[in-house]
């Protein structure tokens, strides 16, 4: 134990509570198959795992995610310790709480710093989000560590700028929102620390902050040939809009509890007038403001998890406000309400935004109606907020510890599901997930990375109607299951070397149909189909550089082969009746080129900053 903790009686208590937390949670967080078995995931979790497996050298779909979390996943995968990732993520969050406490304590009252740290440790929502395979919590932790180094760099410790630049760059390479720290840092230097503009340590930190993402982009372009597909998706969401004030205010009350929101309001009222007098307070208040304005008014996707970026600077300001309470009774009341409101268990997982705790016994909540945009972004309806009450007996099973251990017991008591060994399909060229409904398997965004991680192979998303006219020509061999979700078959195409995998939802109509056809001799290909194969191969050879390939429907036999031969997760197959709507959506997209190859029209467009190729089947000849 360090000298600082020995001098501070509250520090060891907080350290002990963090260790106890890890001891209670860790054994229930280790699952042998992180991709298929781990229960605490968000919609993007399979993509983060896929990004790590890709960096580890596996031929999985490349989601183009920011590198820090995937690098940790890749390292653990190489060490054979990937199941321990949730424990390490939780441990990193707990370690950051200890750093937060020391930072808040040196700014003012130790008891106030302890109360806020305890609220963060006990927070139902923060605990739930820290258990997920997501990058937002570790990115926010790195953001706090970078801000701490920056604040402590002056006066007299300019070398800390170097560490601040390194940690800030790492925060941005964990999630791009981390780069926003540059705005409050620059404002603080120009308004409060102009003398530091002559410091070589400051500029060395700036260099590191800029060089780290630059180096990563160069490496991505060299190794993978692109800067990352996810970068384009994120840039598309950057647009000034009317704001999501109600969503994030409601979400903040869901995360901190209503007492925490009221304390934060009081803290902001006291911090804003005093911020100009002290560089540290100015930096944290500005960081909070920049992050809030960005997510509320400039990032057009709502998510409760984005509030984790605000929670650290908000916690420091709340600690300042609590420290100004001189009455012991007032402090105890405010601190107790803060911890209780933050720890109040919700009826849903911590990252869900629709519930706010009001009263513990019997548990009473506010519940908001949630709708969704086409992008998947949730929207809260103020008119749909209602009171909901539960039995006191429900409260314990809402707690995170109960949820974690209940999930673990359920997994341990269930029969071990069948899992196809990826080594058995290593020689197959690629896999197609074939669906009857786009929601099969959980939808494209969930299914592709999850299935690719399980097979260690690229996977495409193809409607069953696209292949059905030529199904009699396919040889189908059942291989097994990735239970409980997927059935896997091997198929061979007429007159083409190699084999592919066909995957569908287990127990569905396609599964039963393919199982019935297994072992039957395929029909010999007709002349038109043989010609279609040659033309499909020619199309693939002459396809321009692309991020996405869109296949429009048609009767051309060449279309049958293209999903197999293209082998790109960026493939989008359009079903009959949907082509007009798609063409209308991309009508205004910048056109980069157009050509005809083997009787098809190939248009090159830039759609949502991604190079997109549309293939239209015009006729059967050249």
């Amino acid at each position: 134990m360090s000298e600082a903790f020995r001098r501070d009686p509250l520090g060891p208590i907080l350290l002990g509570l963090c260790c106890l937390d890890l001891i209670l949670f860790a054994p229930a967080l280790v699952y042998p198959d992180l991709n298929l078995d781990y229960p605490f995931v968000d919609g993007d979790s399979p993509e983060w795992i896929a990004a790590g497996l890709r960096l580890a050298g596996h031929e999985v779909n490349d989601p183009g995610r920011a590198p820090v979390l995937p690098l940790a996943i890749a390292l653990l995968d190489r060490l054979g310790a990937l199941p321990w990732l949730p424990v390490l993520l939780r441990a990193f969050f707990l370690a950051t709480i200890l750093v937060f406490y020391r930072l808040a304590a040196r700014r003012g009252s130790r008891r106030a710093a302890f109360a806020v740290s305890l609220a963060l440790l006990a927070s139902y929502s923060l605990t739930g989000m820290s258990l997920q395979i997501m990058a937002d919590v570790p990115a926010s932790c790195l953001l706090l560590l970078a801000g701490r180094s920056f604040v402590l760099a002056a006066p007299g410790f300019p070398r800390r700028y170097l560490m601040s630049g390194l940690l800030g760059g790492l925060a941005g390479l964990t999630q791009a929102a981390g780069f926003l720290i540059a705005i409050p840092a620059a404002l603080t230097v120009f308004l409060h620390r102009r003398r530091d503009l002559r410091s070589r340590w400051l500029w060395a930190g700036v260099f590191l902050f800029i060089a780290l993402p630059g180096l990563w982009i160069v490496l991505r372009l060299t190794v993978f040939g692109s800067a990352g597909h996810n970068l384009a998706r994120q840039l598309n969401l950057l647009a000034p809009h009317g704001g999501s004030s109600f969503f994030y205010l409601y979400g903040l009350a869901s995360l901190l509890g209503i007492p925490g929101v009221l304390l934060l309001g009081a803290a902001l009222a006291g911090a804003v007038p005093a911020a100009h007098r002290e560089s540290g307070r100015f930096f944290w208040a500005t960081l909070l403001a920049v992050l809030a304005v960005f997510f509320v008014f400039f990032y057009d996707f709502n998510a409760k998890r984005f509030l984790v970026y605000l929670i650290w600077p908000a916690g420091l300001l709340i600690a300042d406000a609590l420290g100004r309470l001189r009455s012991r009774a007032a402090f105890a009341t405010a601190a107790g309400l803060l911890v209780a409101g933050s720890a109040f268990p919700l009826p849903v997982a911590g990252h869900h935004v629709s519930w706010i705790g009001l009263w513990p016994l019997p548990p009473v909540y506010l519940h908001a109606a949630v709708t969704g945009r086409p992008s998947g972004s949730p929207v809260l309806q103020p008119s749909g907020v209602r009171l909901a009450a539960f039995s006191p007996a429900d409260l314990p099973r809402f707690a995170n510890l109960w949820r974690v251990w209940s999930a673990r017991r359920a997994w341990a008591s269930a029969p071990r599901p069948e899992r196809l060994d990826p080594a058995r399909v290593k020689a197959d060229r690629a896999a197609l997930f074939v669906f009857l409904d786009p929601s099969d398997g959980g939808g494209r965004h969930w299914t592709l990375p999850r299935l690719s991680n399980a097979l260690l192979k690229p996977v495409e998303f193809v409607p069953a109607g696209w292949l059905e006219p030529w199904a009699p020509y396919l040889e189908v061999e059942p291989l097994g299951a990735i239970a409980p979700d997927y059935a896997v078959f091997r198929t061979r195409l007429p007159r083409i070397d190699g084999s592919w995998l066909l995957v569908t939802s287990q127990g569905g109509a396609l599964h039963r149909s393919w199982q019935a056809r297994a072992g039957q001799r395929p029909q010999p290909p007709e002349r038109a189909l043989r010609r279609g194969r040659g033309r499909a191969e020619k199309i693939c050879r002459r396809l321009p550089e692309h991020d996405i390939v869109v296949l429009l429907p048609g009767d051309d036999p060449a279309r049958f082969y293209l999903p197999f031969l293209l082998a790109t997760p960026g493939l989008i197959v359009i079903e009959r009746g949907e082509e007009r709507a798609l063409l209308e959506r991309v009508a205004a997209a910048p056109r980069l080129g157009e050509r005809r190859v083997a009787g098809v029209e190939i248009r090159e467009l830039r759609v949502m900053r991604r190079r997109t190729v549309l293939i239209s089947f015009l006729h059967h000849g050249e």
Side-chain angles (χ1 to χ4, degrees):
M1 188 181 298
S2 69
E3 179 65 25
F5 274 108
R6 283 197 294 269
R7 293 196 306 267
D8 177 6
L10 295 177
I13 295 175
L14 184 63
L15 175 61
L17 291 173
C18 288
C19 291
L20 178 62
D21 178 286
L22 200 59
I23 290 170
L24 292 175
F25 277 97
L29 297 178
V30 181
Y31 287 78
D33 192 330
L34 193 64
N35 177 55
L36 296 171
D37 291 332
Y38 188 69
F40 305 105
V41 293
D42 201 351
D44 291 341
S45 297
E47 280 202 354
W48 287 108
I49 297 172
L53 295 178
R54 179 79 174 181
L55 292 179
H58 300 292
E59 290 298 320
V60 301
N61 292 359
D62 176 22
R65 290 282 179 173
V68 171
L69 179 58
L71 283 170
I73 292 172
L75 177 61
L76 291 174
D77 178 70
R78 289 294 186 91
L79 295 174
L82 187 54
W84 286 89
L85 176 66
V87 177
L88 296 180
L89 291 176
R90 181 62 181 167
F92 184 43
F93 175 72
L94 296 174
T96 307
I97 289 177
L98 296 173
V99 174
F100 170 89
Y101 168 73
R102 292 303 306 161
L103 179 62
R106 72 185 296 162
R107 288 165 52 88
S109 166
R110 285 180 180 173
R111 64 176 187 170
F114 180 81
V116 177
S117 301
L118 189 59
L120 298 176
L121 173 62
S123 169
Y124 174 81
S125 296
L126 286 177
T127 296
M129 287 189 275
S130 72
L131 301 178
Q132 294 182 324
I133 311 303
M134 296 287 286
D136 296 286
V137 171
S140 75
C141 294
L142 287 167
L143 197 66
L144 172 74
L145 298 177
R148 173 186 177 274
S149 293
F150 177 84
V151 168
L152 298 180
F157 299 96
R159 294 186 181 186
R160 293 183 186 270
Y161 283 127
L162 194 64
M163 182 58 69
S164 179
L166 173 64
L167 292 169
L170 290 175
L173 288 177
T174 306
Q175 278 285 52
F179 289 125
L180 292 173
I181 194 175
I183 299 174
L187 290 173
T188 301
V189 168
F190 281 106
L191 296 177
H192 290 273
R193 302 181 181 179
R194 290 195 179 182
R195 288 182 299 178
D196 288 352
L197 289 171
R198 297 190 295 269
S199 170
R200 66 180 185 275
W201 296 108
L202 172 64
W203 294 108
V206 171
F207 173 78
L208 272 179
F209 182 78
I210 296 173
L212 284 175
L215 177 62
W216 170 244
I217 290 173
V218 170
L219 288 173
R220 276 233 33 134
L221 290 172
T222 303
V223 178
F224 298 111
S226 75
H229 299 161
N230 190 257
L231 179 61
R233 284 192 292 183
Q234 301 307 313
L235 291 174
N236 268 331
L237 295 171
L238 293 179
H241 57 89
S244 304
S245 302
F246 177 74
F247 179 93
Y248 284 110
L249 184 61
Y250 191 97
L252 194 62
S254 177
L255 190 153
L256 276 180
I258 292 177
V261 174
L262 296 176
L263 280 171
L264 178 59
L268 289 172
V272 172
H276 71 281
R277 296 196 296 267
E278 193 259 313
S279 66
R281 183 169 297 183
F282 175 84
F283 170 81
W284 294 116
T286 307
L287 177 61
L288 177 62
V290 166
L291 291 168
V293 168
F294 173 75
F295 285 117
V296 174
F297 296 107
F298 288 94
Y299 192 71
D300 200 14
F301 191 97
N302 300 330
K304 182 180 175 180
R305 69 177 187 271
F306 297 149
L307 291 170
V308 300
Y309 296 97
L310 284 68
I311 205 67
W312 303 110
L316 290 171
L317 297 180
I318 291 173
D320 290 344
L322 280 176
R324 290 194 292 269
L325 295 176
R326 300 305 177 193
S327 165
R328 288 188 176 183
F331 174 85
T333 301
L337 289 173
L338 172 65
V339 175
S342 178
F344 193 11
L346 304 178
V348 291
H351 63 286
H352 289 298
V353 74
S354 56
W355 294 82
I356 295 174
L358 292 181
W359 188 259
L361 291 174
V364 180
Y365 300 88
L366 283 179
H367 181 220
V370 181
T371 59
R373 299 175 187 161
S375 64
S377 173
V379 177
L380 295 181
Q381 303 298 330
S383 60
V385 178
R386 299 288 185 270
L387 282 174
F390 289 83
S391 165
D394 292 323
L395 203 56
R397 62 185 180 87
F398 291 162
N400 281 307
L401 195 60
W402 182 287
R403 292 180 188 275
V404 166
W405 279 101
S406 295
R408 180 70 181 191
R409 286 193 297 269
W411 173 84
S413 62
R416 294 281 72 82
E418 181 184 354
R419 294 285 159 82
L420 184 67
D421 186 353
R424 289 184 58 196
V425 299
K426 187 174 183 180
D428 296 290
R429 293 172 64 168
L432 277 64
F433 179 80
V434 185
F435 61 88
L436 290 170
D437 186 276
S439 64
D440 287 354
R444 180 188 185 95
H445 183 69
W446 174 260
T447 301
L448 285 187
R450 192 165 181 255
L451 187 53
S452 180
N453 297 340
L455 295 171
L456 300 182
K457 193 169 293 297
V459 181
E460 297 170 353
F461 204 66
V462 180
W466 190 268
L467 303 179
E468 193 58 34
W470 294 279
Y473 301 101
L474 289 174
E475 176 186 337
V476 178
E477 170 194 353
L479 285 185
I482 304 173
D485 300 307
Y486 310 113
V488 185
F489 295 78
R490 177 176 285 131
T491 189
R492 291 176 176 83
L493 276 62
R495 297 180 182 270
I496 292 186
D497 293 333
S499 59
W500 286 260
L501 301 178
L502 294 177
V503 188
T504 190
S505 296
Q506 184 144 320
L510 283 177
H511 182 194
R512 295 190 295 270
S513 173
W514 293 349
Q515 193 73 40
R517 288 181 47 222
Q520 297 180 11
R521 290 178 61 87
Q523 293 183 17
E526 300 173 353
R527 183 169 179 266
L529 190 61
R530 294 196 300 270
R531 293 183 61 192
R533 172 187 60 83
R535 293 174 48 246
E537 291 174 334
K538 186 174 182 180
I539 292 168
C540 291
R541 287 194 301 269
R542 297 184 59 183
L543 206 62
E545 181 182 350
H546 60 270
D547 298 315
I548 297 173
V549 176
V550 179
L551 298 182
L552 298 175
D555 297 323
D556 192 330
R559 76 162 198 168
F560 163 64
Y561 289 96
L562 285 177
F564 296 95
L565 298 179
L566 286 169
T568 170
L571 179 70
I572 297 177
V573 180
I574 304 300
E575 299 188 76
R576 288 192 183 276
E578 298 178 355
E579 62 270 29
R580 177 175 294 180
L582 178 126
L583 293 173
E584 289 176 354
R585 287 180 61 186
V586 303
R591 184 165 294 196
L592 306 178
E594 186 173 322
R595 66 180 75 175
R596 291 195 178 190
V597 177
V600 303
E601 180 187 82
I602 297 177
R603 278 176 282 174
E604 303 169 56
L605 309 173
R606 188 166 297 281
V607 181
M608 297 176 69
R609 297 184 175 89
R610 302 179 73 180
R611 197 175 184 96
T612 302
V613 173
L614 267 64
I615 300 180
S616 301
F617 297 91
L618 303 175
H619 49 78
H620 291 256
E622 296 200 46

